[in-house]
């Protein structure tokens, strides 16, 4: 694993840039632990100060230090993205592999559920949830809802790979070597779908962060938990741009764009590395 | 066979070299799958290529057909088609030129039919995708023509409505042969087109390839490891071993007087109906082309190997008229 | 005499076509034959492509359930077997040695797994020992195979590893579906000779599916010839192939190309000559 990382850093420019950007974002998130101000508190510093040595990225109209507020916001936003991605990956993998491998009625049932989720309109549902749940809408709950809505497309992709793997002769060899269904899925087929899982993880994080930011900007989330979207929401509430408090908007947007680009580059470069065919070629095979 | 143009070879391959070059994260690997191959294919003939699995047959014809995708690279030499006089290899011509000749002048029946047939499209759609453009006519006319052509490979027209996975391997292979021949191209490259077929269908298909070839006066480069097929079909024959041509000549001549020890083994190892004599396979394994043996690449398995074979590459010499062979035992003292 | 394998009027049909225009395709029709338990033999199934050979193999292996009829192993319907118990008795070998193992995984895993699950090996050393024994039976050894990936071996070696893996389970019956179609003549002979040794030395029965009549003649004891899902001729291999009686069998035999069939398609100058079945060989 370490060797792979070393190789990627040494030979892949996209990976280097992506890693650099994501590291900055992660370091920011980590710094939230040593923040001098509790993230939820307001009016702890003088409001509306432009960037200076005392407050690197300035302060907000609500009397928060933008830099330290950002550390907490990006941490929560990242957690949110990871949570959604991890949960939805698990669902997509289980549904996709099982449907593709089992075939028959299991496949039909799973895929009709899957198709329902693909055509459900996303935004109305999320907003509906917000109006139904109101104050009990917490970040983990939103993440769970998003995960339930964000697996279907990838599950279909995984299923199509699983379908073709099922007809490969080595699957029969595995069966006649005494492997059980779950062993075949986990050991024989998983390596072939992992590239899909990895590349979609980063993309799914980007997707969920994007939606979270949008929802937050519109005020449809728990705005008391600091997130990137939440910061932009409050800045808008205080008409920060009109008032010339540009740093309140520019830095959160800059950071979230950095996250997007970083994750995207990681996805692209790791995808190439994990792809079974290129992996095989690296091992010296491939016909 | 009259006139100078008739006699000029359609395909001239000279010292062709094609390697698989992989550069993955600092590890360089070079598989020399085709290493200095020269031969001609004349108009109106079927040239056969034989050799065991992994001897580089597929790589050779992929290079000739210009299907060069990384890691495969054409490293040196030339493969010149008479209908493409301005370039010394299809792979070196610009893509629009290649697109214009593909299917009409040069078609390629790939090994492993699933590679050509899109698993998600019915056979008739595959036919339309490939050939409608070239043949024209209305959709209904075209489908009729496709159905009629499928009948020549002994396939029921209902196959047009099937998906590839619903057909058995042999049926799929016949579909791809039909696809490659429907435009009646002048040069057909066929990679193991009958290996998945049973003998009866194989015979029909070989007859069909011969008929189409004669109707069109086209040339065929035909690959198979089945020596029986070569004996029955091809006009001239080249034997490949480990990325090199070791012998070539008129097919009857090769069967009557095989000179290279490997060719002799290929012909002698076949069992026949009515003959119960015990036969053995060739000892040893085909060489790894990333680190091929020096000298004659056959020497680790050759019953006649001498010390010169381990150090010096034998030259390809026209030992008998029109019959070339690369072996120190046949041509003493001829280094490449 | 009790039967090891007994096919009783086995048929299988598939439906083909779209949602509305479904057609039934009969792949295998009423095939019956039996292999005796105390008389190991190589039983060959010959037939044109699409004649249902693979479908037949998949029914014997219990991968497909027959549409009608019964496949019995040791007198018992294979569909009622516990799959594990069944696999300890019957093992497959497939057509394409390069596809038989997961390209991303080491080969020895399959051998060890089979030894632990079917060969009765308990623990790593016992499994290794069994794998080594089986590999030696096919002319390889564990030392050569350990830790290797499929692409590091040649087709012939891979096919022998596939056979060794089947042997580790100590089956009574091996179903080999076109095991030599993808390999060239010299490897073909080493694999076919190996089948002969397994029969003679280990007392294994082998169902050998092929369209290579020459190796069928060379190695097998009895054979059936199938056409469009139906058995058209059966009997002792050499007798049938030397003097086939059914027109299709004759056509099949006459279509075999050997180095002696020189120029069967070379001197043809008219289309009629090609279309005529049974051009002199
Ligand atoms: N994509 C690839 N990357 C690296 N090496 C390759 C690749 N494809 C083929 N080779 C190697 O090139 C050599 C020739 O392969 P090729 O497929 O041309 O053989 P072949 O004679 O057609 O065999 P077969 O009858 O099995 O198809 C082999 O050593 C093979 O391992
Ligand atoms: N899964 C399937 N779905 C539909 N038809 C099939 C399927 N498998 C096989 N067939 C049909 O059954 C017939 C026999 O096929 P198969 O057993 O593969 O032949 P063989 O192995 O002798 O080449 C063919 O007509 C084929 O199209
Ligand atoms: S050159 Fe030597 S090793 Fe090569 S085939 Fe001839 S005798 Fe054998
Ligand atoms: Mg090939
Ligand atoms: Mg088959």
């Amino acid at each position: 694993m370490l060797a792979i990382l070393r190789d990627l850093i040494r030979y892949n420019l996209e990976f280097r840039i992506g890693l650099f950007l994501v590291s900055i974002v992660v370091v920011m998130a980590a710094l939230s632990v040593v923040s001098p101000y509790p993230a939820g508190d307001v009016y702890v510093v003088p409001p509306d100060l432009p960037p200076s040595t005392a407050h690197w990225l300035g302060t907000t109209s609500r009397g928060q230090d933008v830099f330290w507020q950002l550390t907490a916001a990006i941490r929560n936003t990242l957690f949110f993205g990871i949570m959604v991605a991890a949960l939805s990956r698990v669902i997509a993998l289980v549904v996709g592999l099982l449907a593709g491998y089992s075939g028959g009625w299991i496949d039909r049932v799973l895929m009709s559920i899957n198709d329902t989720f693909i055509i459900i309109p996303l935004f109305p549902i999320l907003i509906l949830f917000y109006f139904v749940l109101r104050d009990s809408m917490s970040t983990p709950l939103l993440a769970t809802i998003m995960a339930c809505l964000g697996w279907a497309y990838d599950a279909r992709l995984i299923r199509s790979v699983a379908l073709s793997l099922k007809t490969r002769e080595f699957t029969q060899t595995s069966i006649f070597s005494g492997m059980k269904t779950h062993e075949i899925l986990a050991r024989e087929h998983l390596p072939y779908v992992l590239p899909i899982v990895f590349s979609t993880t980063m993309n799914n994080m980007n997707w969920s962060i994007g939606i979270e930011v949008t929802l937050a900007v519109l005020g449809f989330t728990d705005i008391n938990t600091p997130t990137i979207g939440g910061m932009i929401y409050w800045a808008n509430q205080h008409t920060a741009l009109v008032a010339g408090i540009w740093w309140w908007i520019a830095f959160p947007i800059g950071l979230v764009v950095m996250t997007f680009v970083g994750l995207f580059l990681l996805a692209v470069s790791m995808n190439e590395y994990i792809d079974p065919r290129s992996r095989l070629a690296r091992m010296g095979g491939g016909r | 066979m009259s006139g100078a143009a008739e006699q000029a070879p359609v395909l001239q391959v000279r010292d062709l070299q094609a390697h698989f070059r992989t550069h993955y994260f600092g590890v360089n690997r070079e598989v020399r799958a085709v290493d200095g191959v020269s031969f001609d294919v004349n108009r109106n003939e079927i040239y056969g290529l034989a050799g065991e699995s992994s001897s580089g047959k597929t790589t050779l014809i992929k290079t000739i057909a210009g299907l060069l995708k990384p890691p495969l690279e054409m490293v040196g030499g030339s493969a010149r088609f008479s209908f493409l006089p301005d370039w010394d290899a299809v792979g070196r011509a610009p893509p629009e030129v290649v697109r214009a000749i593909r299917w009409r002048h040069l078609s390629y029946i790939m090994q492993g039919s699933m590679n050509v047939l899109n698993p998600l499209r019915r056979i008739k759609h595959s036919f339309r995708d490939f050939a409608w453009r070239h043949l024209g006519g209305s959709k209904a006319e075209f489908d009729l023509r496709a159905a009629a052509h499928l009948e020549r490979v002994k396939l029921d027209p209902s196959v047009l409505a099937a998906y590839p996975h619903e057909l058995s391997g042999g049926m799929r292979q016949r579909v791809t042969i039909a696809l490659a021949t429907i435009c009646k191209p002048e040069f057909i490259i066929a990679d193991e087109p009958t290996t998945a077929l049973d003998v009866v269908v194989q015979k029909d298909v070989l007859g069909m390839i011969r008929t189409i070839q004669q109707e069109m006066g086209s040339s065929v480069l035909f690959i198979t490891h089945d020596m029986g097929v070569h004996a029955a079909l091809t006009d001239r024959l080249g034997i490949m071993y480990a990325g090199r041509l070791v012998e070539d000549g008129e097919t009857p001549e090769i069967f009557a007087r095989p000179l290279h020890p490997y060719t002799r083994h290929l012909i002698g190892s076949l069992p026949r109906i009515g003959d119960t004599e015990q036969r053995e396979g060739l000892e040893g394994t085909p060489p790894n082309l990333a680190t091929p043996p020096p000298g004659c690449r056959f020497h680790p398995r050759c019953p006649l190997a001498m010390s010169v074979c381990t150090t010096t590459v034998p030259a390809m010499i026209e030992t008998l008229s029109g019959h070339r062979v690369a072996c120190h035992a046949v041509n003493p003292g001829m280094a490449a | 005499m009790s039967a090891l394998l007994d096919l009783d009027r086995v048929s299988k049909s598939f439906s083909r076509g779209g949602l509305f225009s479904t057609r039934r395709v009969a792949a295998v029709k009423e095939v019956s034959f039996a292999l005796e338990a105390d008389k190991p033999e190589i039983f060959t199934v010959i037939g044109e492509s699409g004649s249902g050979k693979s479908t037949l193999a998949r029914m014997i292996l219990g991968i497909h359930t027959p549409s009608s009829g019964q496949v019995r192993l040791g007198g018992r319907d294979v569909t009622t077997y516990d799959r594990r118990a069944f696999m300890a008795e019957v093992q497959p070998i497939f057509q394409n040695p390069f596809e038989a193992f997961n390209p991303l995984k080491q080969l020895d895993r399959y051998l060890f797994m089979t030894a632990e699950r079917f060969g009765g090996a308990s623990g790593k050393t016992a499994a290794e020992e069994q794998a080594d024994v089986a590999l030696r039976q096919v002319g390889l050894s564990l030392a050569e195979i350990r830790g290797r990936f499929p692409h590091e071996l040649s087709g012939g070696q891979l096919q022998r590893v596939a056979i060794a893996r089947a042997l580790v389970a100590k089956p009574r019956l091996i179903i080999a579906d076109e095991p030599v179609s993808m390999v060239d003549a010299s490897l073909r002979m080493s694999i076919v000779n190996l089948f002969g040794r397994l029969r003679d030395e280990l007392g294994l029965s082998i169902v050998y599916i092929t369209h290579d009549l020459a190796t069928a003649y060379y190695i097998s004891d009895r054979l059936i010839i199938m056409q469009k899902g139906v058995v058209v001729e059966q009997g002792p291999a050499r007798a049938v192939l030397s003097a086939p009686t059914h027109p299709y069998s004759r056509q099949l035999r006459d279509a075999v190309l050997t180095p002696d069939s020189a120029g069967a398609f070379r001197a043809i100058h008219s289309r009629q000559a090609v279309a005529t079945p049974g051009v002199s060989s």
Side-chain angles (χ1 to χ4, degrees):
Chain A
M1 203 56 207
L2 275 178
I4 296 178
L5 208 65
R6 193 197 56 215
D7 284 350
L8 274 169
I9 293 173
R10 197 177 299 164
Y11 299 107
N12 196 316
L13 182 67
E14 283 103 334
F15 186 82
R16 275 204 299 268
I17 300 174
L19 191 67
F20 176 71
L21 292 179
V22 170
S23 309
I24 295 181
V25 173
V26 169
V27 167
M28 280 290 282
L31 281 179
S32 66
V33 185
V34 296
S35 169
Y37 317 106
D41 291 5
V42 289
Y43 301 111
V44 288
V45 290
D48 297 343
L49 295 178
S52 67
T53 42
H55 303 286
W56 294 344
L57 305 182
T59 65
T60 73
S61 306
R62 305 174 76 213
Q64 296 158 315
D65 182 298
V66 170
F67 179 81
W68 294 111
Q69 188 68 21
L70 260 183
T71 59
I74 194 69
R75 183 195 62 197
N76 290 336
T77 298
L78 270 188
F79 267 144
F80 178 80
I82 292 170
M83 215 143 65
V84 175
L87 266 177
S88 62
R89 275 345 58 193
V90 171
I91 304 177
L93 264 178
V94 171
V95 171
L97 283 179
L98 200 65
Y101 183 77
S102 317
W105 65 268
I106 299 184
D107 182 31
R108 281 198 292 278
V109 169
L110 287 177
M111 280 305 108
S112 46
I113 298 175
N114 185 86
D115 291 346
T116 319
F117 274 99
I118 286 184
I119 52 171
I120 281 183
L122 190 63
F123 260 96
I125 290 280
L126 287 173
I127 292 168
L128 191 76
F129 267 109
Y130 174 75
F131 280 116
V132 172
L133 295 170
R134 286 279 173 180
D135 292 344
S136 47
M137 175 62 111
S138 63
T139 307
L141 189 60
L142 182 66
T144 314
I145 295 170
M146 295 264 305
C148 290
L149 293 170
W151 57 270
Y153 189 76
D154 302 327
R156 210 166 234 300
L157 221 62
I158 291 170
R159 169 183 170 269
S160 66
V161 176
L163 262 179
S164 77
L165 287 172
K166 180 189 171 183
T167 60
R168 304 262 305 251
E169 279 177 5
F170 71 75
T171 303
Q172 286 301 333
T173 305
S174 313
I175 294 174
F176 278 87
S177 298
M179 289 194 203
K180 304 194 184 80
T181 301
H182 68 90
E183 289 175 315
I184 292 175
L185 294 186
R187 294 195 208 159
E188 303 289 310
H189 291 180
L190 196 61
Y192 286 86
V193 298
L194 272 187
I196 301 181
V197 173
F198 267 89
S199 73
T200 56
T201 301
M202 311 288 174
N203 293 337
N204 190 273
M205 275 176 75
N206 272 347
W207 169 81
S208 55
I209 291 175
I211 293 204
E212 198 275 341
V213 169
T214 317
L215 285 176
V217 168
L218 297 173
F220 289 127
T221 55
D222 170 19
I223 46 175
N224 293 319
T225 311
T227 62
I228 298 285
M231 277 184 81
I232 301 171
Y233 169 80
W234 284 115
N236 277 336
Q237 290 293 307
H238 289 260
T239 55
L241 274 184
V242 181
I245 323 284
W246 56 267
W247 51 90
W248 194 359
I249 295 243
F251 290 116
I253 289 182
L255 193 63
V256 82
V257 167
M258 222 153 99
T259 316
F260 281 159
V261 174
L263 286 176
F264 177 75
L265 289 178
L266 284 190
V268 172
S269 52
M270 284 171 70
N271 197 13
E272 190 203 329
Y273 197 89
I274 289 159
D275 179 28
R277 265 162 312 173
S278 68
R279 202 167 121 195
L280 202 62
R282 275 195 310 280
M283 298 188 323
R287 305 186 66 82
Chain B
M1 309 290 137
S2 61
E6 281 279 297
Q7 269 150 27
V10 182
L11 170 66
Q12 279 183 299
V13 179
R14 289 294 170 268
D15 196 27
L16 192 66
Q17 286 169 295
H19 299 181
F20 289 96
R21 279 192 178 151
T22 51
H23 175 85
Y24 275 107
F25 303 96
V27 186
N28 282 310
R29 260 176 61 97
E30 188 165 61
V31 176
R32 282 178 264 166
V34 174
D35 209 7
V37 170
S38 305
F39 65 96
D40 289 343
V41 179
N42 299 319
R43 192 170 302 279
N44 209 357
E45 79 168 355
I46 300 186
Y47 185 91
L49 270 177
E52 65 190 328
S53 144
S54 86
S55 58
K57 307 182 295 292
T58 304
T59 314
L60 173 61
I61 58 167
K62 274 193 176 155
T63 313
I64 291 173
L67 299 171
L68 298 163
K69 259 191 247 129
L72 178 59
E73 276 176 47
M74 180 166 165
V75 178
S78 63
R80 193 185 290 270
F81 280 102
S82 62
F83 50 77
L84 199 64
D86 299 340
W87 281 274
D88 64 2
V90 178
R92 292 189 179 133
E96 61 276 9
V97 175
V98 176
R99 229 172 296 135
I101 61 159
R102 199 146 275 162
W103 298 105
R104 272 219 85 89
H105 294 277
L106 174 65
S107 78
Y108 182 18
I109 305 169
M110 274 190 244
Q111 183 174 24
S113 45
M114 273 314 235
N115 299 339
V116 214
L117 299 174
N118 183 336
L120 302 177
R121 285 173 81 66
R122 292 182 195 275
I123 301 298
K124 66 171 163 236
H125 294 130
S126 292
F127 264 92
R128 287 184 201 148
D129 296 348
F130 280 100
W132 197 7
R133 221 162 2 117
H134 295 297
L135 293 176
S138 73
K139 192 185 274 186
E141 265 167 36
F142 178 79
D143 283 358
L144 276 179
R145 196 160 169 181
H149 195 66
L150 278 177
E151 253 166 52
R152 301 184 70 179
V153 279
K154 305 266 170 355
L155 283 178
D156 191 84
S158 80
V159 163
L160 280 175
Y163 285 100
H165 75 265
E166 294 173 350
L167 306 176
S168 77
M171 294 162 102
R172 283 200 294 264
Q173 192 63 52
R174 278 178 278 166
V175 169
T176 58
I177 292 170
L179 264 174
T181 49
I182 192 166
C183 297
K184 307 209 164 165
E186 356 181 345
F187 200 100
I188 302 169
I189 295 178
D191 190 1
E192 307 262 12
T194 59
T195 303
L197 303 179
D198 69 82
V199 285
V200 176
V201 180
Q202 165 171 291
K203 190 164 180 171
D204 290 340
V205 167
L206 296 180
M208 191 197 73
I209 289 176
R210 180 52 102 179
T211 312
I212 292 181
Q213 180 265 328
Q214 295 219 316
E215 274 174 17
M216 305 292 308
S218 49
S219 314
V220 180
L221 183 54
F222 192 100
I223 298 198
T224 177
H225 59 245
D226 188 334
M227 295 303 280
V229 171
H230 282 299
L233 178 74
T234 59
D235 298 309
R236 289 196 303 130
L237 178 58
I239 311 284
M240 273 190 90
Y241 185 82
R244 292 197 182 133
L245 210 56
V246 295
E247 181 159 8
D248 97 327
E250 306 255 325
T251 308
E253 162 75 11
I254 299 235
F255 278 94
R257 271 176 295 281
L259 295 175
H260 198 277
Y262 178 64
T263 314
R264 271 186 240 152
H265 168 80
L266 274 187
I267 295 171
S269 67
L270 298 164
R272 287 156 216 221
I273 292 176
D275 170 4
T276 57
E277 186 195 328
Q278 177 77 18
R279 288 171 201 276
E280 295 300 331
L282 192 59
E283 283 305 309
T285 55
N288 177 355
L289 293 179
T291 52
C296 172
R297 290 184 175 174
F298 190 55
H299 81 254
R301 301 166 83 183
C302 180
L304 305 180
M306 308 165 279
S307 62
V308 60
C309 305
T310 60
T311 53
T312 316
V313 180
M316 190 81 166
I317 304 287
E318 188 165 335
T319 309
L320 303 167
S321 161
H323 185 166
R324 297 183 300 156
V325 63
C327 171
H328 292 303
V330 182
N331 308 305
M334 299 301 276
Chain C
M1 287 232 270
S2 68
L4 168 62
L5 177 74
D6 177 14
L7 274 76
D8 181 11
R9 305 212 292 153
V10 176
S11 305
K12 175 81 188 175
S13 55
F14 295 102
S15 52
R16 171 188 301 168
L19 220 44
F20 303 107
S21 62
T22 341
R23 279 205 311 132
R24 302 290 291 174
V25 179
V28 173
K29 287 180 229 162
E30 309 243 317
V31 170
S32 304
F33 65 84
L35 304 189
E36 298 304 330
D38 44 14
K39 209 171 92 209
E41 65 174 322
I42 296 179
F43 185 88
T44 299
V45 181
I46 292 182
E48 58 184 346
S49 70
S51 64
K53 306 180 300 293
S54 302
T55 310
L56 189 67
R58 294 168 80 83
M59 284 193 287
I60 298 175
L61 288 167
I63 300 170
H64 286 331
T65 313
S67 311
S68 69
Q70 252 188 5
V71 180
R72 286 187 290 263
L73 183 76
R76 195 169 137 205
D77 187 348
V78 302
T79 53
T80 66
Y81 259 85
D82 169 54
R83 286 303 286 159
R84 291 303 196 82
F86 177 77
M87 289 176 198
E89 306 274 338
V90 184
Q91 282 284 332
I93 294 162
F94 298 108
Q95 178 169 359
N96 186 348
F98 296 104
E99 269 281 299
F101 300 98
N102 190 337
L104 297 177
K105 300 283 176 166
Q106 291 164 350
L107 290 165
D108 46 10
R109 283 172 67 242
Y110 294 94
L111 292 157
F112 299 153
M113 183 96 63
T114 313
E116 281 165 18
R117 310 246 158 130
F118 299 126
S122 53
K124 185 95 182 135
T125 41
E128 286 186 3
E129 166 118 24
Q130 286 193 10
D132 193 46
V133 169
L135 284 166
R136 283 179 192 285
Q137 280 163 348
V138 300
L140 295 166
S141 71
L142 185 57
E144 288 173 72
I145 299 303
R146 193 194 292 278
R148 304 258 251 160
F149 288 91
H151 64 81
E152 295 173 323
L153 300 185
S154 75
Q157 284 175 314
L158 277 177
Q159 199 61 300
R160 279 187 283 169
V161 176
I163 296 170
R165 190 208 59 78
L167 292 181
V168 168
K170 302 196 181 76
R172 288 197 287 160
L173 179 64
I174 284 185
I175 313 293
D177 187 358
E178 303 199 21
V180 296
S181 300
M182 308 280 289
V183 301
D184 50 90
S186 68
L187 289 176
R188 188 172 290 198
M189 287 323 292
S190 30
I191 288 167
V192 167
N193 284 333
L194 173 62
F195 282 160
R197 281 216 312 282
L198 296 180
R199 170 194 57 194
D200 301 338
E201 290 165 19
L202 301 182
L204 269 171
S205 285
I206 297 169
V207 175
Y208 173 50
I209 298 177
T210 189
H211 44 236
D212 180 10
L213 275 71
T215 53
Y217 181 91
Y218 176 78
I219 202 73
S220 63
D221 302 293
R222 286 192 300 152
L223 58 72
I224 57 175
I225 297 179
M226 286 177 73
Q227 183 188 23
K228 299 195 172 72
V230 180
V231 175
V232 296
E233 185 156 0
Q234 56 185 317
R238 288 187 177 167
V240 171
L241 287 175
S242 309
T245 55
H246 189 275
Y248 175 68
S249 322
R250 276 208 293 275
Q251 199 187 346
L252 205 60
R253 212 264 321 251
D254 293 342
V256 174
L257 299 172
T258 68
D260 318 319
S261 17
F265 299 106
R266 206 169 297 128
I268 295 160
H269 288 290
S270 71
R271 282 182 63 179
Q272 284 72 24
V274 179
T276 321
V279 179
S280 69
S281 55

